[in-house]
Amino acid sequence: MEKEPLNALIVYTSNSPTLKELTKKLNGFINNSLLEVRVKPAAETEVPHVCAADIIFFGSDESGSTFGKGEFKELERAFAGINLAGKVAGLFSCSSTAAIDSLKEMLKSTGITIGGEPYLGCKKEDFGEESERIKKWVNEVINTYRERFENDG
C-alpha cells in the first residue's frame, strides 16, 4: 500500500529578503513526491494551516521584543493553548541564534518535536555553496518525522 503524502508548511517572516530567498530554496528541496508543501508568511498563517501540516518549517530573523511584536505575534499567542504533539518542526534563520531561541520559546508548550539541529543560514550569495547543507538539514527534519511517527504501524 502506498503511503499518503506528508503535508509540509513553511512559515517565515517576510520582511527579510534573505530569509525569503532561503524559504524558496527550502521549498525546492522539500517539494517532492512524498510531501505537499504550502508556504505562508507568518502574519498570514493561521492555526488551521499549522494543524493541517505534519511537518512545519518555521523561519525568522526576528528575536526578543521584536519577535513578540512582529509577524509571529498572533501565532505566538495562539500557540500558548494548542497541542501540536505528533508534528515535527524545523527551525531556521539567516540572522542569529537569538531568532532560533525565540522560535523555540514560541513552541515550548505545544508538544511539537524539533527535528534536527536548527538551521542557521547564510548570506544570500552563499546559497549555492550551502545547497548540500540545506538539503541535508531538510532531510534530517523529514526523517525525524518518519522515524517518530510513521514506524508506529
Side-chain angles (χ1 to χ4, degrees), residues 124-136:
K124 192 173 177 178
E125 60 270 11
D126 294 337
F127 285 150
E129 296 172 17
E130 282 286 297
S131 289
E132 285 306 310
R133 187 171 152 239
I134 295 168
K135 187 186 268 185
K136 182 179 178 204

Side-chain angles (χ1 to χ4, degrees), residues 43-87:
E44 297 174 19
T45 303
E46 298 174 357
V47 170
H49 299 133
V50 174
C51 290
D54 302 302
I55 302 169
I56 306 107
F57 293 85
F58 292 98
S60 179
D61 280 347
E62 298 174 347
S63 60
S65 63
T66 306
F67 186 86
K69 296 174 189 165
E71 291 189 50
F72 275 98
K73 176 176 64 176
E74 287 305 312
L75 282 178
E76 184 175 36
R77 184 189 57 73
F79 286 169
I82 193 169
N83 182 345
L84 298 175
K87 299 183 183 305

Side-chain angles (χ1 to χ4, degrees), residues 101-121:
D101 291 343
S102 293
L103 289 168
K104 286 180 182 176
E105 184 65 27
M106 175 183 75
L107 296 169
K108 182 169 66 172
S109 66
T110 66
I112 199 167
T113 300
I114 306 296
E117 286 295 314
Y119 178 84
L120 187 55

Side-chain angles (χ1 to χ4, degrees), residues 7 31 44 56 123:
N7 291 308
N31 199 357
E44 297 174 19
I56 306 107
K123 293 180 175 60

Side-chain angles (χ1 to χ4, degrees), residues 9-13 23 38-46 49:
L9 174 66
I10 304 173
V11 181
Y12 67 99
T13 49
T23 298
R38 235 179 145 172
V39 180
K40 298 206 63 82
E44 297 174 19
T45 303
E46 298 174 357
H49 299 133

